[in-house]
Every structure is written in structure tokens, then in C-alpha cells.
């Protein structure tokens, strides 16, 4: 009897180990990470605090919930969130690599905009082989795109106002002109940011709404948010309800709104809600987080 029990225990451990190894292999593969993440159960590793571990679990659970546990519903923003969770959890480099690669291959432009808004998130040191080339291309993309971008064609093809597209294109170029070159020369970038803030205020006075997808197309839907994200706290708070409305009206994705909320709460209360401002900044407890999610109708 004892031999039977011992054999069963050994067999069970082998099965669990085999499943764990299989799941780990899938998490390290860009092609299979989507399916693997839906059944992934994180382990609290050494050096990961209880609060950080719990927060990473929330990110993963929110991602699964938003996708309705269907891998086909996972988008670039979801894989960016998975990357963030893996960094917090101190997952193996191969897992972080696979999640990041999946995100940039699905929608590199969106991930580029997130990096422009919130920095490298430590990926330059964790996965330099893939992150740094992407980051370099991100930094150069504005110059390259501006030389190829035809405002008249873009506006015509998307049935947009070419004058408005021209202004928003200029704003976007100004936002990244010196910000993507490290270290940032703030003596040059700040005057451009201030000019952008004035332009955004002027546009809002004319249109009385967020300048999003319907007005400037997919390519520029996050430009107004970027300016607000890089603005003083007063402007962030003033435009917060406008950006909330834009998300509800499908003029902007939800992730930028979460990043703006994090920035505001960090500056006002020295903590963040969703963790987009880096691991050094405290994350709010569940009670506050749930209140914010309910207040802004977030997933």
C-alpha cells in the first residue's frame, strides 16, 4: 500500500512538473504565449513583495477578463500589460521577451506611443537585444514618417480635414522631437511641449471635444492624449473627463486613460492605480483601485 501511495505521489509530481515545463516553454514562445497566459498561474519569486505580486496578478486577471478568455481577443495593449506583469513578477527573460515581441509585432506604433509616454519600464536592461533596436526605430520613426507622410493623401483617403491633420501631425512631431533621444534635452523639449499645450487648448476651443479617431484617424488618435500626459497636473485634471468621454466613445483606447489616471494620482497622492508609472511608485490598495475602476467605467 505504501509503495502504491509513493508511486502515485511520484507520478503526480512528474505530471505537474511536465505541465509546468510545457507551460513555461509556451510562455517563452511568441506564437504560443497567448494561449499559455490564459492558464498561467504566477509564482511569487524571491524579491517580489506581496503588494507587487498581488498587483501583477490583477494585471493578468484583468487581461484574461477583458479577452473573455479567448486568445483571439488579445491585442497589442494586452501583451504590453502582460510584459509589465512579467517584469513585476521577475519572470524569466524569455517570458518577458516573448510578451514584448508579440506586442510590437501586433501593433508596433501603439507600443511606441506607450514608450514615448511612460519610458522604457526597465526593458532596456532586461531585454536589450530586442528592446533597444525597437526603441531606436521608435526614436527615428517621426523623422522618417514625416518625410514620407502625405497629409493630403491621408486626409483624402480617410475623409478628414487636411488642415486639422496638418496641425495634429505637427503636434505629434514636436512631442517626440527631443523626448526620444536619451538623455532628453529638456531645455529644447519643454518649449515644444508648452507650444503643443497651447495648440491643444486652441483645438479644443474650436471642436469642443477630444481630437480622436473620427477627426484625425487612427494614426493620430493618441496625439492629444500624449500632450496632456506630458503636461502639468492642472492640464491633466482639466482634460481627464474629456479623455474619459473619448474612451467611452471609442475615440481612444482604454490603456492611455489608465496611464493618465496613474500620472495624476502619482503627482497628487504619491501612489498609482494601475502601475504604469514604474515599479518604484507605490500601487494603491484594492479598495481604492476598485473605486477608480468603477468611477471611470474601466475594465
Amino acid at each position: 500500500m505504501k509503495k502504491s501511495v509513493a508511486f502515485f505521489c511520484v507520478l503526480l509530481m512528474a505530471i505537474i512538473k511536465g505541465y509546468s515545463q510545457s507551460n513555461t516553454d509556451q510562455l517563452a514562445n511568441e506564437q504560443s504565449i497567448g494561449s499559455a497566459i490564459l492558464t498561467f498561474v504566477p509564482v511569487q519569486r524571491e524579491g517580489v513583495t506581496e503588494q507587487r505580486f498581488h498587483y501583477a496578478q490583477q494585471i493578468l486577471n484583468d487581461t484574461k477578463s477583458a479577452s473573455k478568455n479567448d486568445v483571439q481577443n488579445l491585442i497589442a495593449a494586452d501583451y504590453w500589460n502582460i510584459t509589465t506583469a512579467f517584469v513585476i513578477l521577475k519572470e524569466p527573460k524569455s517570458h518577458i521577451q516573448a510578451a514584448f515581441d508579440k506586442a510590437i509585432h501586433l501593433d508596433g506604433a501603439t507600443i511606441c506611443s506607450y514608450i514615448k509616454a511612460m519610458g522604457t519600464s526597465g526593458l532596456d536592461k532586461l531585454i536589450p537585444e530586442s528592446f533597444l533596436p525597437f526603441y531606436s526605430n521608435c526614436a527615428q520613426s517621426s523623422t522618417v514618417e514625416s518625410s514620407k507622410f502625405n497629409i493630403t493623401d491621408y486626409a483624402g483617403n480617410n475623409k478628414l480635414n487636411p488642415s486639422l491633420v496638418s496641425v495634429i501631425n505637427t503636434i505629434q512631431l514636436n512631442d517626440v522631437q527631443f523626448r526620444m533621444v536619451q538623455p532628453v534635452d529638456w531645455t529644447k523639449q519643454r518649449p515644444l511641449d508648452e507650444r503643443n499645450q497651447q495648440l491643444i487648448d486652441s483645438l479644443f476651443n474650436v471642436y469642443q471635444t477630444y481630437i480622436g479617431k473620427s477627426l484625425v484617424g487612427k494614426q493620430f488618435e493618441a496625439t492629444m492624449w500624449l500632450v496632456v500626459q506630458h503636461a502639468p497636473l492642472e492640464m491633466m485634471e482639466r482634460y481627464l473627463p474629456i479623455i474619459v468621454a473619448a474612451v467611452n466613445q471609442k475615440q481612444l483606447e482604454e490603456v492611455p486613460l489608465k496611464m493618465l489616471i496613474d500620472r495624476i494620482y502619482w503627482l497628487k497622492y504619491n501612489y498609482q492605480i494601475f502601475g504604469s508609472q514604474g515599479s518604484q511608485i507605490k500601487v494603491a490598495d484594492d479598495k481604492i483601485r476598485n473605486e477608480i475602476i468603477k468611477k471611470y467605467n474601466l475594465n
Side-chain angles (χ1 to χ4, degrees):
M1 180 66 178
K2 289 182 179 180
K3 288 184 178 180
S4 298
V5 172
F7 175 76
F8 175 76
C9 290
V10 170
L11 180 61
L12 181 60
M13 288 177 65
I15 291 171
I16 293 172
K17 183 177 180 181
Y19 171 79
S20 177
Q21 183 63 46
S22 174
N23 191 253
T24 296
D25 290 343
Q26 289 181 325
L27 289 171
N29 187 316
E30 182 187 339
Q31 304 308 316
S32 59
I33 188 174
S35 299
I37 200 67
L38 297 179
T39 57
F40 173 62
V41 179
V43 174
Q44 188 171 358
R45 301 174 185 275
E46 185 178 352
V48 179
T49 65
E50 190 70 32
Q51 183 186 42
R52 298 298 291 167
F53 179 70
H54 183 54
Y55 171 60
Q57 284 183 307
Q58 288 180 330
I59 293 177
L60 295 173
N61 289 337
D62 289 348
T63 300
K64 294 175 186 179
S65 176
S67 72
K68 299 178 180 177
N69 286 307
D70 185 345
V71 66
Q72 300 300 321
N73 293 330
L74 292 172
I75 61 175
D78 295 319
Y79 285 104
W80 174 257
N81 288 338
I82 293 167
T83 303
T84 301
F86 281 177
V87 170
I88 294 170
L89 291 167
K90 298 186 184 295
E91 283 291 305
K93 175 180 176 179
S94 58
H95 295 182
I96 298 171
Q97 181 88 57
F100 178 73
D101 286 347
K102 187 72 173 181
I104 63 176
H105 290 158
L106 281 177
D107 189 349
T110 293
I111 303 306
C112 189
S113 71
Y114 293 167
I115 294 170
K116 290 173 184 175
M118 62 187 290
T120 66
S121 300
L123 295 173
D124 53 330
K125 296 180 177 62
L126 292 169
I127 51 169
E129 298 87 351
S130 62
F131 180 81
L132 291 178
F134 177 77
Y135 183 79
S136 177
N137 288 333
C138 231
Q140 297 171 16
S141 63
S142 296
T143 303
V144 174
E145 288 172 7
S146 65
S147 65
K148 295 180 179 179
F149 183 63
N150 187 302
I151 292 173
T152 303
D153 288 347
Y154 176 80
N157 292 337
N158 293 281
K159 299 180 180 180
L160 303 170
N161 180 337
S163 297
L164 177 58
V165 171
S166 179
V167 173
I168 210 73
N169 180 57
T170 298
I171 291 172
Q172 180 163 290
L173 292 176
N174 285 344
D175 183 81
V176 300
Q177 185 163 345
F178 299 104
R179 185 167 271 109
M180 294 302 292
V181 179
Q182 298 296 321
V184 178
D185 187 341
W186 291 110
T187 62
K188 295 179 179 178
Q189 185 59 51
R190 282 198 184 94
L192 293 176
D193 287 349
E194 291 169 1
R195 175 57 177 157
N196 274 351
Q197 292 155 22
Q198 293 169 357
L199 287 170
I200 287 299
D201 280 340
S202 297
L203 289 175
F204 182 76
N205 287 337
V206 172
Y207 291 92
Q208 292 295 300
T209 189
Y210 180 84
I211 311 299
K213 193 180 299 182
S214 295
L215 289 171
V216 290
K218 178 68 177 175
Q219 182 167 331
F220 299 107
E221 70 173 64
T223 302
M224 181 173 177
W225 161 75
L226 271 174
V227 174
V228 174
Q229 185 79 355
H230 295 149
L233 177 60
E234 179 276 327
M235 186 173 188
M236 291 183 200
E237 293 187 304
R238 181 157 42 90
Y239 278 96
L240 177 59
I242 297 161
I243 290 175
V244 170
V247 171
N248 291 335
Q249 295 162 9
K250 308 301 182 185
Q251 296 300 306
L252 181 69
E253 298 293 336
E254 186 177 275
V255 171
L257 171 58
K258 289 181 175 179
M259 293 167 70
L260 178 60
I261 291 170
D262 269 354
R263 183 71 66 91
I264 290 172
Y265 274 76
W266 167 42
L267 293 174
K268 289 189 72 172
Y269 307 114
N270 203 31
Y271 62 81
Q272 56 185 324
I273 307 301
F274 303 103
S276 67
Q277 301 304 296
S279 60
Q280 301 87 355
I281 301 168
K282 179 183 176 182
V283 178
D285 59 32
D286 286 349
K287 181 177 182 295
I288 295 175
R289 185 174 186 274
N290 291 332
E291 288 173 354
I292 296 300
I293 289 172
K294 183 177 180 180
K295 179 178 180 179
Y296 295 107
N297 192 30
L298 299 169
N299 292 314

